[in-house]
């Protein structure tokens, strides 16, 4: 974990230090990402001249919605993640399918995504204030940051200036890291997007928020080759925890859900790592973090509870990196008027 920032005796890092360090990181990473078409890149304060109230509009509306429905925070964070891992952070995950094309949002891995209406609500307010200025891709990045902060997690400066993609194809969703994959597959999926092993274990900490439907982990509880509900617990899953999960999820249940971080699924904290360390990570992608020497060491250190402030800083750094994947800038793409359709169709 990062070890250069000031912490209190409880391990908490000064918020000003978090912002300062991540701002420096954002400047280093994103100033080197000039686009070949126009030489432009993302920057903090991108809308200061063209829509100075943009971030405040996003923050206020996100605050209203998350306070009304705390589980929306996890949904917004997941939307941003699923967007960035498929052809970059271009809001392609928000586009609707058409008669001739199945879009990302209707692909199997995205079947449980939520938050589309929340994004549309924020975008509508931005269009009233500054028509045609703020991209849907930037809205996703801002709402994800604000959702984490509202869940008592870290905050960070979001470099802006992304433009919206023109295409969305379900076939591209194979780029998403596999929930049922082993650690080597997860590492490879992250490396393909320019993210490190550390980014993998840090961003997995987002599972401190939200729930997963039973069909996402039923294969860890039951033998899929029979029809008799026979138990076949994944040996990497604590047996007592598996018994508790079976009380909620039968072999044929799909709509029920379990908390990814039991007892703390609406608060951003490090308890997720304590569950993983005790072999109570809900998904295979959580459990596999114990199978690599680096990710296991990180999990154990985070699980100790002595480095919460450093984890917050690491998460902010990794989010800055993820939010820069494959961005469109300059004259690339467009600024959609409505996030679910390209402008020629709106």
């Amino acid at each position: 974990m990062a070890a250069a920032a000031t912490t209190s005796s409880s391990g908490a890092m000064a918020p000003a230090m978090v912002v300062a360090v991540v701002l420096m990181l954002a400047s280093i990473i994103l100033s080197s990402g000039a686009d070949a078409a126009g030489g432009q890149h993302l920057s903090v304060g991108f809308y200061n001249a063209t829509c100075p109230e943009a971030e405040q509009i996003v923050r206020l509306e996100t605050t209203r919605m998350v306070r009304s429905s705390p589980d929306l925070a996890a949904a917004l964070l997941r939307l941003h993640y699923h967007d960035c891992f498929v052809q970059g952070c271009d809001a392609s995950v928000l586009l609707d399918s058409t008669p001739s094309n199945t879009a990302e949002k209707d692909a199997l891995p995205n079947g449980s995504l939520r938050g589309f209406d929340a994004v549309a609500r924020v975008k509508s307010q931005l269009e009233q204030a500054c028509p045609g200025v703020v991209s849907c891709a930037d809205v996703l990045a801002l709402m994800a940051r604000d959702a984490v902060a509202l869940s008592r997690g870290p905050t960070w400066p979001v470099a802006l200036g992304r433009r919206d993609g023109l295409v969305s194809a379900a076939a591209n969703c194979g780029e998403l890291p596999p929930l049922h994959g082993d650690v080597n597959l997860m590492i490879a999926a992250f490396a393909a997007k320019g993210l490190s092993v550390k980014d993998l274990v840090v961003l997995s900490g987002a599972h401190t928020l939200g729930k997963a439907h039973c069909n996402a982990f039923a294969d860890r509880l039951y033998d899929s080759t029979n029809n008799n509900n026979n138990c076949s617990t994944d040996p990497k899953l604590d047996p007592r925890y598996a018994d508790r999960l079976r009380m909620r999820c039968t072999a044929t249940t799909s709509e029920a859900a379990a908390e990814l971080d039991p007892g703390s699924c609406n608060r951003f904290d490090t308890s997720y790592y304590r569950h993983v360390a005790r072999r109570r990570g809900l998904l295979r992608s959580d459990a596999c973090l114990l199978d690599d020497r680096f990710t296991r060491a990180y999990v154990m250190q985070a699980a100790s509870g002595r480095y919460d402030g450093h984890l917050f800083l690491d998460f902010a750094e990794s989010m800055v990196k993820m939010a820069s994947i494959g961005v469109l800038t300059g004259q690339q793409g467009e600024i959609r008027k409505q996030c679910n359709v390209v402008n020629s169709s709106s």
Side-chain angles (χ1 to χ4, degrees):
M1 294 184 185
T6 303
T7 61
S8 70
S9 59
S10 64
M13 185 175 299
M17 180 64 74
V18 173
V19 172
V21 174
V22 177
L23 183 57
M24 179 178 66
L25 179 82
S27 176
I28 293 171
I29 292 175
L30 300 171
S31 64
S32 64
D35 102 352
Q40 299 183 34
H41 52 75
L42 307 185
S43 61
V44 175
F46 181 85
Y47 296 112
N48 284 354
T50 56
C51 191
E53 303 300 319
E55 291 198 44
Q56 182 179 6
I57 290 171
V58 174
R59 184 179 301 110
L60 289 175
E61 193 57 38
T62 302
T63 298
R64 292 190 189 99
M65 291 186 289
V66 170
R67 285 182 175 170
S68 174
S69 180
D71 62 346
L72 180 62
L76 294 173
L77 184 55
R78 188 172 177 227
L79 264 183
H80 184 41
Y81 173 89
H82 279 238
D83 181 46
C84 290
F85 266 86
V86 181
Q87 73 182 39
C89 308
D90 65 349
S92 55
V93 75
L94 302 178
L95 287 172
D96 290 338
S97 295
T98 66
S100 60
N101 176 67
T102 302
E104 292 171 30
K105 66 164 57 172
D106 293 319
L108 185 60
N110 291 336
S112 60
L113 289 181
R114 300 186 302 112
F116 297 103
D117 290 344
V119 175
R121 181 169 163 178
V122 170
K123 174 63 171 174
S124 177
Q125 293 200 9
L126 288 166
E127 285 298 301
Q128 292 179 35
C130 315
V133 174
V134 181
S135 70
C136 299
D138 279 345
V139 171
L140 280 177
L142 288 169
M143 292 185 77
R145 186 270 310 273
D146 293 343
V148 170
L150 287 165
S151 303
R152 303 186 188 181
T155 188
W156 57 91
V158 176
L160 303 169
R162 298 165 190 78
R163 289 173 65 85
D164 299 324
L166 302 173
V167 297
S168 178
N172 292 335
C173 290
E175 299 175 32
L176 285 166
L179 288 180
H180 302 285
D182 61 27
V183 72
N184 291 323
L185 286 174
M186 296 294 291
I187 290 172
F190 272 66
K193 301 300 176 182
L195 299 176
S196 68
V197 178
K198 180 179 179 181
D199 294 319
L200 163 61
V201 67
V202 169
L203 291 175
S204 294
H207 285 177
T208 186
L209 299 176
K211 302 177 181 180
H213 287 95
C214 293
N215 58 9
F217 56 88
D219 64 326
R220 306 189 70 199
L221 305 174
Y222 299 101
D223 183 352
S224 61
T225 63
N226 67 72
N227 298 315
N228 298 317
N229 266 17
N230 286 351
C231 301
S232 180
T233 303
D234 180 349
K236 295 180 180 179
L237 185 64
D238 173 62
R240 289 174 296 179
Y241 184 48
D243 289 341
R244 287 170 51 193
L245 291 173
R246 288 191 193 95
M247 295 175 65
R248 176 175 292 274
C249 301
T250 68
T252 57
T253 300
S254 61
E255 294 304 315
E259 296 178 352
L260 288 159
D261 184 1
S264 182
C265 72
N266 289 326
R267 177 170 178 166
F268 193 101
D269 55 28
T270 56
S271 63
Y272 160 81
Y273 292 101
R274 288 188 278 282
H275 289 296
V276 173
R278 297 169 60 193
R279 295 193 301 130
R280 294 187 173 190
L282 187 62
L283 306 176
R284 288 189 185 274
S285 59
D286 299 320
C288 78
L289 296 176
L290 297 179
D291 296 337
D292 173 82
R293 184 171 63 179
F294 180 90
T295 57
R296 180 184 180 87
Y298 193 100
V299 166
M300 294 303 181
Q301 191 170 22
S304 72
R306 296 193 299 269
Y307 299 92
D308 289 11
H310 293 298
L311 184 280
F312 276 30
L313 174 58
D314 286 347
F315 189 83
E317 290 179 347
S318 291
M319 285 296 292
V320 168
K321 290 177 66 177
M322 187 188 79
S324 70
I325 296 173
V327 296
L328 304 177
T329 59
Q331 298 304 308
Q332 298 172 322
E334 66 180 10
I335 305 297
R336 289 184 216 142
K337 297 175 184 176
Q338 298 179 57
C339 292
N340 63 317
V341 290
V342 296
N343 288 343
S344 59
S345 302
S346 61

